[in-house]
């Protein structure tokens, strides 16, 4: 029996017989002994396990560098820097003088990817941190913070609408693998307000909301740019009644059954509900400066960027001079 299976069976016993899907996803991605990001990921990009928009050579670096300039912040914080190539391109686009005047911070939780970033960014002055709170403490709580394809990688809770119209939460039972629906206290999400038919499934990135709540109160001035795939809630589940969850391993797409059978062996992701990101930010004191398609942020129309969005927020009480570029 694999280490992952032994661990999950023990967890299932402790939790009373089933594992909520978000807990399964957290262990499958981040468990120090077998989690995909902790132990397995070989890299991101055409020769890694999966590609991101940044690693496919997308023209993200220049618009991000221009945005950083517009914030007039001394500190840049990138959260979840993957293989480090986007950081390298942003630093190059900033130019020598701006690089000298600024400090680049990376928040990274995967030891494997941090190693890859250190290699990729040799020669640049970078400070690594384990959490945004730690990074903010080093910046005096004022920074231009950005991420590309981060919230989609956070563990999500999955809910299904039952025949009686209630939302129940997806739990997992192992040996044999079974999907079990259980009544639950619903988290704060705009997805529950959609008039979806019975049988529909939705995802809520509740762990991302909790993570924001841990550090956003310490974010006093500057701006935050979040780029990811997803959409406003109204269109998120169009033609996707079973939700948007999927896995990736060796550039192959996995469905839920395959994900459940291979904990730790695949990346797991779900499209981001950008309406939730805005609402959660507002509740934490962030003001939305712009919420656009990535094409609009980049200032050009190209098909792949239509699936991506850019959200710019800033602490409402703080100073911010920023171009929304939208
Ligand atoms: C899908 S990858 C995207 C990487 C990169 N931004 C890109 O576009 O290629 C997600 C990144 O977020 C990191 N990550 C996941 N959870 C994190 C967290 N809680 N804090 C910081 N980084 C995290 C992962 O280790 C990885 O570097």
């Amino acid at each position: 029996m694999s280490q992952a299976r032994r661990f999950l069976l023990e967890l299932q016993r402790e939790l009373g017989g089933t594992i909520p899907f978000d807990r399964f996803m957290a262990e499958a991605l981040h468990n120090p002994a077998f989690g995909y990001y902790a132990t397995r990921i070989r890299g991101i990009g055409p020769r890694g396990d999966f590609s991101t928009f940044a690693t496919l050579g997308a023209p993200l670096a220049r618009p991000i560098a221009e945005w950083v300039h517009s914030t007039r912040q001394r500190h840049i914080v990138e959260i979840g820097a993957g293989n480090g190539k986007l950081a390298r391109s942003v630093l190059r686009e900033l130019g020598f003088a701006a690089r000298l005047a600024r400090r680049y911070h990376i928040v990274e939780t995967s030891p494997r990817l941090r190693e890859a970033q250190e290699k990729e960014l040799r020669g640049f002055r970078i400070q690594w941190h384990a959490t945004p709170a730690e990074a903010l403490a080093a910046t005096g709580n004022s920074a231009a913070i950005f991420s590309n394809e981060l919230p989609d990688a956070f563990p999500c809770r999955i809910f299904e609408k039952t025949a009686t119209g209630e939302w129940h939460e997806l739990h997992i039972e192992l040996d044999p693998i079974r999907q079990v629906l259980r009544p639950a206290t619903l988290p704060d999400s705009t997805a529950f307000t959609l008039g979806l038919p019975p049988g529909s499934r939705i995802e809520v990135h509740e762990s991302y909301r909790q993570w924001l709540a841990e550090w956003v109160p310490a974010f006093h001035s500057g701006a935050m740019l979040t780029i990811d795939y997803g959409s406003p809630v109204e269109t998120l589940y169009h033609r996707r009644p079973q939700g948007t969850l999927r896995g990736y391993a060796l550039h192959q797409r996995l469905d839920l059954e395959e994900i459940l059978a291979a904990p730790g062996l695949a990346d797991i992701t779900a499209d981001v509900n950008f309406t939730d990101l805005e609402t959660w930010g507002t509740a934490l004191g962030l003001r939305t400066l712009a919420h656009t398609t990535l094409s609009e942020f980049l200032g050009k129309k190209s098909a792949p960027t239509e699936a991506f969005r850019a959200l710019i927020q800033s602490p409402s009480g703080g100073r911010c001079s920023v171009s929304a570029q939208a």
Side-chain angles (χ1 to χ4, degrees):
M1 188 187 292
S2 74
Q3 194 176 10
R5 193 138 239 102
R6 257 200 316 275
F7 177 91
L8 290 167
L9 279 172
E10 181 56 35
L11 180 65
Q12 174 169 299
R13 256 191 301 278
E14 273 169 31
L15 296 179
T18 61
I19 305 173
F21 178 79
D22 64 333
R23 181 64 191 273
F24 171 89
M25 182 166 166
E27 299 297 344
L29 293 182
H30 302 295
N31 185 293
F34 61 82
Y36 171 75
Y37 277 101
T39 64
R40 184 160 296 261
I41 189 165
R42 296 174 312 136
I44 301 177
R47 272 188 257 139
D49 289 2
F50 60 89
S51 293
T52 60
F53 196 56
T55 58
L56 289 173
L60 278 181
R62 177 164 297 178
I64 290 175
E66 284 168 3
W67 174 79
V68 164
H69 274 301
S70 78
T71 66
R72 303 209 186 128
Q73 292 293 313
R74 176 160 182 262
H75 294 278
I76 307 165
V77 178
E78 180 180 358
I79 308 183
N83 61 13
K85 286 195 193 306
L86 180 59
R88 187 185 182 83
S89 309
V90 170
L91 282 158
R92 285 203 178 287
E93 289 289 348
L94 280 173
F96 180 65
R99 270 205 304 278
L100 271 189
R102 288 187 165 80
R103 296 284 174 275
Y104 203 100
H105 304 257
I106 290 180
V107 178
E108 180 56 64
T109 45
S110 160
R112 287 196 143 214
L113 289 177
R114 174 168 168 170
E115 216 173 279
Q117 291 158 16
E118 283 172 357
K119 229 187 237 169
E120 180 68 31
L121 294 163
R122 205 161 281 152
F124 289 103
R125 198 173 39 174
I126 313 274
Q127 239 180 296
W128 273 270
H129 307 273
T131 62
E134 196 183 299
L136 277 176
T139 68
N141 303 317
S142 181
I145 300 175
F146 79 91
S147 66
N148 182 58
E149 298 187 41
L150 175 73
D152 74 83
F154 271 65
C156 57
R157 293 174 71 179
I158 297 183
F159 296 88
E160 180 173 318
K161 201 179 219 180
T162 63
T164 55
E166 288 160 83
W167 286 100
H168 282 184
E169 182 160 13
L170 177 68
H171 286 238
I172 306 307
E173 196 180 286
L174 297 166
D175 268 1
I177 297 171
R178 261 192 348 123
Q179 299 182 33
V180 180
L181 291 179
R182 290 195 148 179
T185 307
L186 303 187
D188 175 14
S189 171
T190 52
F192 296 115
T193 63
L194 297 169
L196 297 173
S200 302
R201 281 195 179 181
I202 59 155
E203 301 92 11
V204 180
H205 283 103
E206 168 74 354
S207 66
Y208 188 73
R209 189 189 67 74
Q210 287 169 351
W211 174 81
L212 286 175
E214 282 169 16
W215 62 269
V216 166
F219 180 26
H220 292 164
S221 63
M224 174 160 79
L225 165 65
T226 308
I227 298 172
D228 212 328
Y229 40 84
S231 57
V233 69
E234 298 80 28
T235 49
L236 193 52
Y237 297 107
H238 275 181
R239 293 190 294 276
R240 295 195 280 196
Q242 283 307 296
T244 69
L245 189 94
R246 66 261 187 203
Y248 289 100
L250 303 172
H251 289 271
Q252 289 181 36
R253 187 180 165 123
L254 312 185
D255 63 17
L256 179 58
E257 290 293 332
E258 291 168 318
I259 290 169
L260 298 180
L265 301 185
D267 186 29
I268 310 173
T269 175
D271 275 26
V272 174
N273 177 341
F274 272 83
T275 315
D276 274 355
L277 259 47
E278 270 197 81
T279 341
W280 295 342
T282 307
L284 290 168
L286 296 179
R287 184 159 53 107
T288 297
L289 301 182
H291 177 190
T292 68
T293 60
L294 184 58
S295 316
E296 279 176 84
F297 176 75
L298 299 179
K300 60 179 78 164
K301 286 250 173 281
S302 63
T305 57
E306 286 306 312
F308 284 76
R309 299 195 74 81
L311 173 65
I312 303 177
Q313 296 159 297
S314 76
S316 23
R319 279 177 298 114
C320 179
S321 142
V322 65
S323 142
Q325 284 183 291

